[in-house]
Each structure stands twice: as C-alpha cells, then as structure tokens.
Amino acid sequence: MLWWAFSLGCQLEGTPVVDARGGGVAYWPAHSRTAVEGAIEAAFSSLEIDLTPTADGQWVGQGGATWQDCIDTRTNLPAEPAAVVEWDQDATQLLRCGGTPQPEWPNALVVAEAPLTLQGLIQLVRESDLSEQRIHLHLRSADLPSVAQLFDVWAPAELPNALHVSADELVTLEAVETEARRRNLEVHSTLRLFDEMDNSAPAVGPLVNTKLWEQLQMQEADGLALPAFAWSRQRLRRAQEEGIAAMALDADDPSTWSIGLDSVLTAFPGDLVP
C-alpha cells in the first residue's frame, strides 16, 4: 500500500520537498513515460527525470542503467551503451527499455517502452494541469549547444511548473545558467556530488567545506546535492550561511534525514513518512 504522504496537497510543514527519483524507480521503470504518468497521477511534489543528449542534440530519458537493460528492436539483442550515445533521437525510439526486472526494485512494474523524449515529457506535464508539481531535470554531461537545444524545446512550452535542473559537473550548470539568463527564465540549479562521496574518501571534507562553496557561488548554482550520510550538521549550517539549498541523494530512510534539508531524492516518494 502506498502512502501518498507528500502529494501536493499534503506536504507536511517543516519537512523537505520529496523528489521522486526517476519518477519513482521503486514503482515503475526509471525515467520512463510510465514513471512520469504514475508520478503525475500520484501528485508527487517533485518529479525527477534523468535526461541525456542524443547525437542530434535532442534529449531523452536515460534508459535503464546507461542503456544496459534496453533491447534494440532491430536485432532483438541488448543495446550496446557505447553505440547508443552516438544515435540520434529517432534511433533511440527503436529501443525498448524497462522490460527487464530490476533486483534492486523487486516490486517495480516491468514495462518495455521507447525512451521518453523531452517533448513527450512536456506533453505529459502540460496535460496533467498540476502546476504546483516541480519538474527536476538531471542532465547528463552536456555542452552549451546541447543545453541551448534543450531550452529551445522547453522554453516555448511556457509551463507554469517550477523548473529545477541538476548536473554532476559545474560546466553543465554554467551552460544552464547562461541559457536561463539569455531567455529570462527562472531555473533553480543544483550540483550533485555522488560518485566522489564515499565514507572512505578523506578528501570529501575539505572539498565540500572550502573551495566548493566558492565554485557554487561563481557558477550561481542554487543548491548542492550529497548522499544523505554526507550531510553533517556543519555542512548544513554552511549551506544555510551560503544561501545554498541542501538536497540529500538516495534518501530512502527518513530516519537519516538531517534537520535543515531542503529536499530529498528518493526511490520511494509515495511510502515515506518522516
């Protein structure tokens, strides 16, 4: 049974915004049309989708784990991730992703479908009429021309939803901020540090506590996303002092949520009660 505790009308005062990772990967195929439809129907407060640029500069939902669970319908064989990154958007629509059960998410619906396009995402959001639902686009590594093409599609839609963009690299966020300013769009941006964050990594503390804050300010990023375990009281206090919104990644256990977090990214957005 799902407890829609964080649906739009039921956000508890003082709790962080609950962001549906991949639309809710514990329930549906990640970053898929089915996941977006489910997240909209459940009225989650925030919907996160990973987007990756195609060879022709368009954007599609990241199928599976870097395309590893996608089938090429032309051969009925698993897609080669190294080849897919060289495909244009039309070619990616020949893939069928999400049709393989994921051991990590045993209760998730298994549905094989073509990767979600940015245009398809916009259509679903527009038709939902959920103007208060935040849309969170996590962009895979991209240059300024690719980001410009993303906004070429997004901006004309004039959706009323708040737009949140995150990336793993500051250079991608710089491109986002450049395009947002050029188009006079309000976009909230967040740098994610995930792969670098590890309990055994001694450089984590100095990185997060010193130069990184200056870099965030220089790139005009609004937020910083770290694994839930990495948000110490000291880091949260520093984020508040710097005016940086704090997001916790893989925050599937409310008991690990630190007081002061602005948002949490979770695979179980419909089940969590802090």
Side-chain angles (χ1 to χ4, degrees):
M1 179 177 180
L2 299 181
W3 296 92
W4 306 124
F6 294 97
S7 60
L8 293 177
C10 305
Q11 188 73 33
L12 302 178
E13 184 177 356
T15 61
V17 172
V18 174
D19 209 344
R21 173 186 168 191
V25 297
Y27 317 133
W28 308 290
H31 318 297
S32 66
R33 185 180 187 88
T34 295
V36 172
E37 291 173 339
I40 288 173
E41 181 179 358
F44 293 148
S45 298
S46 184
L47 163 62
E48 184 258 9
I49 294 293
D50 280 16
L51 294 177
T52 188
T54 59
D56 56 344
Q58 301 301 310
W59 291 81
V60 296
Q62 176 73 68
T66 62
W67 309 110
Q68 291 177 6
D69 72 341
C70 300
I71 299 297
D72 186 339
T73 58
R74 294 169 296 188
T75 62
N76 287 324
L77 296 173
E80 293 289 341
V84 174
V85 297
E86 302 296 332
W87 294 5
D88 61 19
Q89 178 173 279
D90 288 344
T92 67
Q93 298 307 290
L94 299 174
L95 294 172
R96 293 297 178 266
C97 306
T100 303
Q102 300 297 308
E104 189 175 4
W105 319 114
N107 297 319
L109 189 66
V110 177
V111 181
E113 56 189 287
L116 176 69
T117 64
L118 178 60
Q119 294 88 338
L121 171 62
I122 290 172
Q123 180 183 5
L124 290 172
V125 174
R126 180 187 287 117
E127 293 174 351
S128 74
D129 198 30
L130 288 178
S131 60
E132 295 182 12
Q133 187 173 52
R134 183 177 77 171
I135 306 302
H136 175 180
L137 306 180
H138 179 61
L139 306 186
R140 298 298 178 176
S141 182
D143 55 15
L144 183 58
S146 295
V147 172
Q149 286 187 267
L150 181 147
F151 281 104
D152 283 343
V153 176
W154 183 270
E158 297 184 339
L159 297 174
N161 308 68
L163 177 60
H164 187 110
V165 177
S166 63
D168 300 325
E169 300 178 359
L170 277 169
V171 65
T172 302
L173 290 186
E174 182 179 11
V176 168
E177 294 292 346
T178 297
E179 282 301 309
R181 284 195 300 270
R182 187 169 73 86
R183 300 165 189 268
N184 197 30
L185 293 175
E186 183 176 355
V187 179
H188 299 278
S189 59
T190 294
L191 174 68
R192 285 196 197 183
L193 289 180
F194 189 81
D195 293 337
E196 297 90 334
M197 299 299 297
D198 188 290
N199 281 316
S200 63
V204 165
L207 173 64
V208 174
N209 290 327
T210 55
K211 187 176 181 180
L212 179 63
W213 302 107
E214 299 175 7
Q215 293 176 321
L216 288 170
Q217 295 290 354
M218 288 177 60
Q219 302 300 341
E220 300 183 9
D222 303 300
L224 176 64
L226 304 174
F229 72 79
W231 277 114
S232 63
R233 292 182 180 179
Q234 292 83 358
R235 287 176 182 156
L236 278 169
R237 187 181 306 115
R238 181 66 183 271
Q240 292 169 350
E241 291 172 353
E242 300 289 346
I244 297 294
M247 170 183 283
L249 302 171
D250 283 351
D252 296 331
D253 180 1
S255 68
T256 66
W257 297 358
S258 300
I259 296 176
L261 286 171
D262 295 281
S263 60
V264 293
L265 185 68
T266 175
F268 301 90
D271 291 83
L272 298 182
V273 179

